Amino acid sequence: MTFARDTLIGDPDRLPRMPVWVTSARAETLEDVAFLSGAALNHLHLVLSRVDLPHALLRDRLALRAAEACVAFSGRPERAAELRDTVHLLRPGDLPGPAGEIYLSWRRAAERSVSIKALHRALPQYPPETLAIWLDAGQGAPVACAAMALEAVLTQAPRADVPALILADAALAQALGWDYLLPVLAGGLKRADLRKRGDDLRLACHRAVTASALEATRLAANLARRAAHLKTVAPKLRAKGAGEAVAIFLTRDAVAPSALPLPDRAARRLCDRLVDLGAVRELTGRDTFRLYGV
């Protein structure tokens, strides 16, 4: 499904909410858990069909959450704030480090439509042929496809948590007919889940999808409201290049003033102006080396 071509438009304050029974129901069997995850995905699919949703921004923010989860799985201390600093304040020639590489892999995987070429760009350490085999390892319903792809990677490369989760989300997107990978599994799984196999792993994936779909719909509603406000105040911005700057804010989780198409001082003034208008937030709490986001 190509969300960008759909025509579902409406008040961002009225994005449909996940039915309470989807997340409150107590399910123990694989059949019951699969039913709930299917309902959650159906609802998320409906939300993603809205053209007033900043899709690229949603994927980028979910990529940060997925990266944060994967960094925690690896036992490293970096969290969202440190990951943002590592990537968005990276200077030419600098290396992002292990945590930064995880974050960059997720961002690259989510920013382009699902394809072996895009996955190889995110995971260049693996040959395209290997990625294709892993992506097509799953059969059946979408979550089952994702779980089987996850298991296929981890069976061959037990320590490759990040590639496994990226391929699993890609398999899920492909099975659902989504053009883009939406990072959902990593944020809902526990580290111990990655050592499960067979039905136990499928059960964990169904539960992870249900929980993450709920979080994704909440985040989508929040970003839709904030994006609508940013678009409302955009005509008030007089700086040359302000329109391009707004477009950047609508696609990226965090933006450094230096990434905007304006001179340095003008970029900082524009960011401060957008904060004053309530259209973006300053994300670091610092006086220097600031980052801004919707």
Side-chain angles (χ1 to χ4, degrees):
M1 180 177 183
T2 307
F3 297 118
R5 296 178 183 174
D6 285 347
T7 56
L8 294 179
I9 306 174
D11 184 349
D13 289 323
R14 294 184 179 181
L15 259 69
R17 295 182 179 181
M18 184 81 71
V20 175
W21 60 266
V22 174
T23 53
S24 64
R26 299 184 63 180
E28 299 297 332
T29 68
L30 181 57
E31 181 181 18
D32 289 342
V33 174
F35 174 77
L36 294 177
S37 71
L41 282 173
N42 181 70
H43 184 82
L44 178 59
H45 188 90
L46 178 64
V47 170
L48 294 176
S49 297
R50 299 278 295 247
V51 296
D52 52 344
L53 179 67
H55 292 86
L57 174 56
L58 175 64
R59 294 195 305 272
D60 202 38
R61 192 148 293 175
L62 287 173
L64 174 63
R65 294 188 178 187
E68 186 177 31
C70 289
V71 168
F73 291 159
S74 70
R76 298 190 61 85
E78 294 91 344
R79 294 299 179 262
E82 291 84 3
L83 291 173
R84 280 172 170 152
D85 281 355
T86 298
V87 169
H88 294 289
L89 300 179
L90 197 67
R91 295 180 179 179
D94 288 349
L95 297 175
E101 288 287 0
I102 290 174
Y103 184 21
L104 285 172
S105 292
W106 276 107
R107 294 191 76 210
R108 290 166 181 160
E111 69 185 3
R112 298 189 180 186
S113 57
V114 176
S115 67
I116 297 302
K117 183 178 180 180
L119 290 170
H120 182 58
R121 179 174 176 268
L123 302 167
Q125 67 272 40
Y126 297 100
E129 297 79 10
T130 300
L131 296 175
I133 291 171
W134 284 339
L135 182 62
D136 294 334
Q139 296 179 351
V143 179
C145 286
M148 293 173 74
L150 182 62
E151 184 169 350
V153 179
L154 292 175
T155 298
Q156 295 185 38
R159 298 177 63 85
D161 294 352
V162 175
L165 288 163
I166 288 176
L167 266 294
D169 273 329
L172 181 67
Q174 187 172 262
L176 288 166
W178 293 351
D179 287 344
Y180 291 86
L181 178 157
L182 192 72
V184 293
L185 277 168
L189 288 170
K190 299 177 182 178
R191 186 176 185 180
D193 291 330
L194 300 180
R195 308 299 164 240
K196 296 176 179 178
R197 297 294 181 266
D199 285 349
D200 289 339
L201 180 59
R202 283 193 287 275
L203 189 68
C205 286
H206 281 297
R207 287 177 171 154
V209 164
T210 302
S212 294
L214 174 63
E215 290 302 313
T217 54
R218 287 174 175 168
L219 178 60
N222 178 264
L223 291 179
R225 286 193 296 269
R226 297 190 64 85
H229 180 56
L230 175 57
K231 292 175 183 177
T232 298
V233 305
K236 301 178 182 179
L237 306 173
R238 299 181 179 179
K240 185 177 181 180
E244 295 176 61
V246 167
I248 291 173
F249 278 112
L250 289 172
T251 60
R252 299 185 191 177
D253 162 72
V255 179
S258 59
L260 298 177
L262 292 88
D264 185 60
R265 183 176 297 180
R268 292 198 303 270
R269 284 201 303 266
L270 176 64
C271 290
D272 290 339
R273 173 66 171 153
L274 287 170
V275 170
D276 291 341
L277 292 169
V280 303
R281 297 169 296 150
E282 202 287 310
L283 301 172
T284 69
R286 298 188 295 249
D287 292 330
T288 58
F289 299 104
R290 290 180 159 187
L291 296 173
Y292 300 82
V294 171

